[in-house]
Amino acid sequence: MSEIKTQEFKKASREAMANPKLQARLQQVMGHFDNARRDAIEEITPERWEELRTQARQIKRHTIENLDYYIELVHERVTANGGVVHFARDAHEANAIVADIVQRNGVKLAAKSKSMVSEEMGLNRVLADMGVEAVETDLGEYIIQLAEETPFHIIAPAMHKSRQEVSELFSTRLGTPNTDRIEELAAQARTALREKFLRADMGITGANFVVAETGTLVIVTNEGNGRMCTSAPKIHVSLTGMEKIVPSLEDLAIFLRLLPRAATGQHITSYVSFVSGPRRPGDEDGPEEFHLILVDNGRLKMLQDPELREALYCIRCGACLNICPIYRNVGGHAYGWVYPGPIGAVVTPNLVGLPKAKDLPFASSLCGACRDVCPIKINIPHMLLHLRHKLSESESEDERKAAFEDVFFAKAFAFLMSSPWILSAAHKLGRIVQWPFEHDGKIQRIPVPPFSVWTKSKDLTALPPKSFHDIWEQQLSKEQQ
Amino acid sequence: MTEPHPTPGISKNEFVQRLQSALGKSQRTPVQPYQKLQESLDELVKRARELQEHLQHIRSKLLDALSDLAPKRGWKFFRTRNTEEAIDYIVALCKQKDVESVVRSDEEVLQSLPVDQPLLLAGARVTVIAKSSGFSQQDWRKTAANAGLGITGADFAIAETATVVAIPRKGLSRLVSLVPPIHLAIVRPQDVVERLEDVFLLRRLAYKNGGDVPNYMNFITGPSRTGDIEQTIIVGVHGPKEVHMLLLG
């Protein structure tokens, strides 16, 4: 698996919020995708958008509820088309499958189109260790590969980089002249990557959808690198999560209307590529071998739990990231792994383990904006609550230990509220304890952790001289006299 | 019991069984079968026939809709019923862009649109990227990479999205519409459909019919684009920078 830094979420988000350059960048960029999405929905009318969402959810629900049947169908159809289907339980197995194909074919250079599953696997590192040059060809992914960073956003991996930063990066790593014109930067990348495409032994892609009926992989792109990777090299390997399946080719019409609009506000992307297998004898060109690797890597956990199953409906549009108040303030890197934002907060703990990612289900105010914008109506807040519940009531001691603080406070609160006498005594005790810290009705700082977090970014209102209970009793007794 | 598996990964049966157990299902096939997957070949044939009748009926409206939308979706658009005008358009384009080398597919539509000679006279050498032309595949890549223009037909054009659908097969290479900086697609009126579903229905029918069904298809809508640097849209990243749609009717 690629490096996991989810344990550092709290620290990383604090640093992100204190980083003026990052904050300026986030402010500049964050509204952009969301506004584009809104405009696109306005254009086809909100009623039509709702219809599409409902249909899409129905299709995904049926498919996931019968995922075993559809995976079997995919295997049958892709094999009949001349392709090879592989199955990987985890990242380790998936890497081994790719390594095997590489070794058997003497692959030296691989051109990669965007694949988030390959990020889960840490595939580039594995290939590098084997002496294979694996070049990211999606411009955003190419930039972060050169910068040796992880993606900042599902759709726009390098959105946190300014053109000056990109120019310096290209200049250092490619020896190209510095420029502040974005067209020139794109042209520099085009030249550098064109040579790789046409020389690559293997093209590695992801998949946005896999159609069971015809055994067809669907790749949705704008740049043309997806087409290059599936046309020029001799071998095409596609890595995809096992949940990307839709039953029929005609179902794609609905998803192709939802995905581009939700992601970037586009009506349709420049290219949609449909791969069902390798080239056939009469074809002019195309790969001689087509491999589809279906990856589990923890998705089984979400499949098994009926409360988490709908996390598998996700089509990776990024709309939830763009609207989330947490993501908009801390950015993608703070989440510490491949998938940031609201959907990341659900998926990551299932893929890397709840104890490691215990802060992610709490990285939410439960405002529900993500659920409102999701094209598949995925109820993310519900699942975040479910994960919090799992943490505190888990059978696994590791998971329970991780939730200790929250359980402690919940139990303490329950104790306080269990009788009016206890609450009253607590109030009186609190009045005494707060006295050194209170000033003008406010408590600005509690120096004792873990309570100190409550005053880190705001002032608490001090406990008043009389509780409501006291006042009520006194009024009542006055009125009775 | 884990089945022994010669190559890395696990067997299909084991993988699928894990899923079935996780879902708590007692049988593999869905309790409620998916309606579309139940459709027989006859039903698909019937739907396809109804679709073609419908399309014929609204053909002129569709062509107008496509003409209207294509420029808004990044195409340079030209419409004419006149073959000479069409050829003139292509020649003028090559002159304007100083194109010295053109690559094209060997599709039917190009047989009724003889561009090779006029282009040669205008100073642009035309190479047909097809095995039938006798060229070797190694030469193709170099030729395509050096070409200034790629010309193809279109298997379909979708009016809803102003999309050209290309289905690579014998006579149509994947690279012609991808590698050169300019791509020109020639669309015939009878190939214009209304919505995304229409193409998918016809492809489903072709698949169900069996036989030699192509393993690749591309939807092309406008030039190659990216917004990855500062969310600013740039065209011509890995694919063509400029795309032309020539509607023959």
Side-chain angles (χ1 to χ4, degrees), chain A residues 163 227 232 250 283 296, chain B residues 18 47 131 141 177 204:
Chain A
R163 70 182 79 181
R227 288 180 64 187
E250 278 180 78
D283 290 353
D296 171 350
Chain B
R18 274 156 57 97
R47 279 180 61 203
K131 291 196 202 104
R141 287 207 181 175
S177 59
R204 283 184 71 208

Side-chain angles (χ1 to χ4, degrees), chain B residues 67-104:
Chain B
S67 310
D68 189 58
L69 189 61
K72 296 180 186 157
R73 295 286 181 259
W75 296 93
K76 300 243 190 296
F77 184 79
F78 182 66
R79 181 177 182 179
T80 176
R81 258 180 256 257
N82 186 317
T83 354
E84 278 88 50
E85 263 185 36
I87 297 176
D88 286 343
Y89 180 86
I90 299 174
V91 172
L93 173 62
C94 286
K95 284 205 180 120
Q96 191 202 20
K97 300 282 173 175
D98 283 319
V99 172
E100 289 176 359
S101 162
V102 175
V103 291
R104 71 166 175 85

Side-chain angles (χ1 to χ4, degrees), chain B residues 63-78 158-164 221-223 225 243-247:
Chain B
L63 297 183
D64 290 340
L66 182 62
S67 310
D68 189 58
L69 189 61
K72 296 180 186 157
R73 295 286 181 259
W75 296 93
K76 300 243 190 296
F77 184 79
F78 182 66
I158 309 175
E160 174 191 351
T161 48
T163 297
V164 158
T221 312
R225 299 173 174 96
V243 289
H244 296 249
M245 191 190 294
L246 208 162
L247 179 58

Side-chain angles (χ1 to χ4, degrees), chain A residues 6-117:
Chain A
T6 51
Q7 318 87 297
E8 295 169 29
F9 176 74
K10 282 192 179 153
K11 176 161 162 284
S13 4
R14 268 200 296 274
E15 283 168 7
M17 288 192 285
N19 179 338
K21 227 166 69 174
L22 181 62
Q23 287 302 311
R25 195 91 204 97
L26 280 170
Q27 281 217 349
Q28 225 180 329
V29 157
M30 271 340 296
H32 179 91
F33 281 145
D34 194 57
N35 290 334
R37 181 189 60 87
R38 280 175 212 272
D39 289 342
I41 294 173
E42 259 324 291
E43 206 196 349
I44 59 163
T45 80
E47 291 77 33
R48 180 82 178 104
W49 184 253
E50 270 316 298
E51 250 174 50
L52 288 169
R53 288 176 86 202
T54 306
Q55 286 173 301
R57 190 179 166 86
Q58 271 165 8
I59 296 170
K60 278 285 170 179
R61 178 146 192 268
H62 169 83
T63 313
I64 299 296
E65 293 293 326
N66 295 285
L67 194 60
D68 56 336
Y69 172 76
Y70 286 107
I71 295 267
E72 199 163 48
L73 191 55
V74 167
H75 175 262
E76 184 196 302
R77 298 289 153 93
V78 171
T79 309
N81 296 338
V84 183
V85 184
H86 308 259
F87 299 93
R89 278 174 295 195
D90 54 29
H92 179 77
E93 262 175 12
N95 285 325
I97 295 168
V98 178
D100 184 59
I101 300 170
V102 160
Q103 260 156 2
R104 276 191 286 110
N105 291 282
V107 172
K108 286 274 154 259
L109 173 64
K112 282 188 73 201
S113 175
K114 204 171 157 70
S115 160
M116 308 224 69
V117 173

Side-chain angles (χ1 to χ4, degrees), chain A residues 402-456:
Chain A
F404 174 73
E405 229 175 79
D406 306 284
V407 175
F408 172 77
F409 278 110
K411 288 198 166 136
F413 183 75
F415 173 69
L416 268 184
M417 302 301 272
S418 58
S419 106
W421 303 111
I422 296 178
L423 193 59
S424 173
H427 181 224
K428 291 190 172 60
L429 183 63
R431 289 276 304 155
I432 298 170
V433 167
Q434 81 178 10
W435 182 76
F437 310 108
E438 187 226 334
H439 187 73
D440 265 347
K442 293 262 181 229
I443 300 171
Q444 284 188 320
R445 209 178 130 253
I446 303 174
V448 183
F451 306 98
S452 48
V453 293
W454 291 341
T455 51
K456 239 198 183 89

Side-chain angles (χ1 to χ4, degrees), chain A residues 95-347:
Chain A
N95 285 325
I97 295 168
V98 178
D100 184 59
I101 300 170
V102 160
Q103 260 156 2
R104 276 191 286 110
N105 291 282
V107 172
K108 286 274 154 259
L109 173 64
K112 282 188 73 201
S113 175
K114 204 171 157 70
S115 160
M116 308 224 69
V117 173
S118 75
E119 310 258 358
E120 285 178 43
M121 288 156 59
L123 178 63
N124 289 0
R125 169 68 43 86
V126 170
L127 290 173
D129 289 344
M130 289 177 74
V132 177
E133 186 191 352
V135 183
E136 294 289 346
T137 62
D138 174 287
L139 183 57
E141 298 278 350
Y142 182 57
I143 291 169
I144 62 171
Q145 182 178 45
L146 288 177
E148 289 174 44
E149 290 180 28
T150 52
F152 193 78
H153 185 283
I154 290 176
I155 301 296
M159 77 180 336
H160 59 302
K161 292 222 173 285
S162 68
R163 70 182 79 181
Q164 289 83 2
E165 285 173 307
V166 176
S167 178
E168 264 168 50
L169 183 65
F170 281 4
S171 174
T172 315
R173 299 295 300 269
L174 304 174
T176 47
N178 254 301
T179 172
D180 69 347
R181 292 190 62 236
I182 298 181
E183 301 82 10
E184 279 173 37
L185 291 170
Q188 287 170 359
R190 178 188 165 105
T191 310
L193 289 171
R194 186 46 80 93
E195 183 259 336
K196 306 284 182 189
F197 284 128
L198 297 177
R199 218 177 23 99
D201 307 306
M202 179 191 268
I204 303 176
T205 69
N208 294 87
F209 307 100
V210 181
V211 178
E213 177 186 28
T214 51
T216 306
L217 202 86
V218 183
I219 303 175
V220 174
T221 63
N222 275 306
E223 294 176 18
N225 57 323
R227 288 180 64 187
M228 282 287 194
C229 291
T230 54
S231 301
K234 243 177 64 177
I235 305 168
H236 171 207
V237 173
S238 174
L239 300 157
T240 175
M242 63 185 191
E243 81 281 20
K244 291 301 187 68
I245 308 204
V246 297
S248 164
L249 202 57
E250 278 180 78
D251 296 329
L252 287 179
I254 292 166
F255 291 97
L256 289 178
R257 291 190 182 107
L258 286 169
L259 175 58
R261 289 183 170 90
T264 55
Q266 283 182 288
H267 304 87
I268 192 169
T269 49
S270 300
Y271 309 115
V272 186
S273 305
F274 302 81
V275 180
S276 302
R279 72 196 287 178
R280 298 156 320 140
D283 290 353
E284 300 296 346
D285 49 16
E288 289 167 22
E289 268 182 54
F290 169 56
H291 296 263
L292 175 62
I293 305 177
L294 294 168
V295 179
D296 171 350
N297 204 25
R299 289 157 173 77
L300 195 70
K301 271 201 225 122
M302 291 183 270
L303 192 67
Q304 201 149 17
D305 189 336
E307 302 298 317
L308 294 176
R309 212 167 277 167
E310 63 177 304
L312 297 175
Y313 300 178
C314 177
I315 60 175
R316 303 282 189 261
C317 68
C320 59
L321 274 65
N322 299 334
I323 199 96
C324 176
I326 313 299
Y327 181 89
R328 286 172 83 135
N329 276 286
V330 306
H333 288 158
Y335 288 79
W337 204 54
V338 179
Y339 303 105
I343 193 63
V346 175
V347 162

